[in-house]
Amino acid sequence: MRKRISCIMAAVLLVLIPVSAAFAAYAYDYGRTSDLRYADECVGYASDAWIELGFTYQDYLGSSFTRSTFLANCPYGNAVYAYTKGSTTDISDNGSGVITTSDVSNSRSSDWKRLVFLDACNTATSSGWAAAWGIRTGDGDLHTFIGWVGLAYDSPLYADFTYCFFKNMSYYGYTIRRSLELAKAVTGVSNYGYYGNPDWAY
C-alpha cells in the first residue's frame, strides 16, 4: 500500500509542475533484457529503493536502454544503476551499442553522483569506471561507486545480492558499506568492489 500511495503522490506532483520547468530524475536505472534474464527484476529492486526513499527515477529497460540515451542522461541525476554486460572499460546497452569509460567521462559534464552501481562484470576490477563518474577513494565526498571484481552472473544468487543491497540501503537505512556486507552475509556473494566513501546512509 505504501508503494502504491507513493506512486500516486509522485504522479500528482508531476501534474503540478509547470510544463516549461525542467524536471530531472534523481536516479536513472538501465536493464539489458535482450539476453539477461534478471535485468527486469534487478532494475525493479533499484526502482523500489528510490520509491522507498521518496526520490524520482526513470527506468530504461530493453529497447529504451540505448547508448545515446545513457550518455544523454549522464549529466543529470544523482544516482545510476545498470544491469548489463561489462568489462573494465565498457558496458553494453540493450543491443550492440558499447558505452566506454571515456564516453561517460566526456558526457557527464563534471556533475556529481551520490551512488553509481554498474551491475556488470569487471566494473570494479580497477578504478577506471569509478573515475569516469568522478568518484575516487579519499576524495572527501560522500559518494560511492559499486561494481564487480571479476565475473558477475545473471543468476538468482546475484539477483538476491542486488535485492538485499537495495533493501538494506533504502528500507532499513543502513550505510552503503553495511548494506553490502549484509547482502554478502545473506547470499555468500563476495566479489563486489567499491570506490569512494561507503560510510554514509540515505
Side-chain angles (χ1 to χ4, degrees):
M1 177 63 81
R2 182 185 306 168
K3 289 178 180 175
R4 189 172 298 154
I5 291 170
S6 296
C7 289
I8 292 169
M9 290 176 65
V12 170
L13 287 173
L14 283 173
V15 170
L16 296 175
I17 292 172
V19 175
S20 61
F23 186 75
Y26 180 90
Y28 293 90
D29 307 323
Y30 305 87
R32 179 183 169 100
T33 60
S34 58
D35 54 5
L36 295 179
R37 180 177 177 185
Y38 292 92
D40 194 357
E41 194 171 315
C42 288
V43 166
Y45 299 148
S47 301
D48 287 347
W50 310 131
I51 291 170
E52 186 68 43
L53 291 165
F55 296 150
T56 58
Y57 66 94
Q58 180 66 53
D59 289 346
Y60 295 88
L61 277 167
S63 60
S64 65
F65 176 19
T66 65
R67 178 181 184 275
S68 60
T69 300
F70 189 93
L71 294 178
N73 289 335
C74 277
Y76 307 106
N78 295 82
V80 176
Y81 172 76
Y83 188 95
T84 185
K85 294 183 174 182
S87 74
T88 55
T89 57
D90 59 71
I91 59 172
S92 302
D93 66 9
N94 194 65
S96 58
V98 174
I99 302 157
T100 68
T101 53
S102 295
D103 290 334
V104 169
S105 184
N106 292 332
S107 298
R108 66 181 186 83
S109 301
S110 301
D111 74 321
W112 188 84
K113 294 285 188 285
R114 190 93 202 261
L115 178 67
V116 177
F117 184 177
L118 295 188
D119 202 343
C121 294
N122 286 302
T123 48
T125 298
S126 70
S127 62
W129 271 113
W133 293 100
I135 299 173
R136 292 175 175 80
T137 300
D139 62 14
D141 280 337
L142 295 180
H143 57 177
T144 313
F145 173 88
I146 302 168
W148 295 104
V149 177
L151 299 180
Y153 295 92
D154 184 37
S155 71
L157 200 60
Y158 277 76
D160 285 349
F161 181 98
T162 299
Y163 168 78
C164 290
F165 167 73
F166 277 116
K167 190 70 173 179
N168 286 316
M169 179 199 77
S170 61
Y171 186 80
Y172 295 107
Y174 292 125
T175 65
I176 299 301
R177 184 194 300 275
R178 184 66 176 145
S179 297
L180 290 167
E181 290 171 344
L182 289 170
K184 173 185 173 181
V186 169
T187 64
V189 173
S190 61
N191 64 313
Y192 63 86
Y194 60 79
Y195 296 90
N197 185 343
D199 295 316
W200 58 271
Y202 276 106

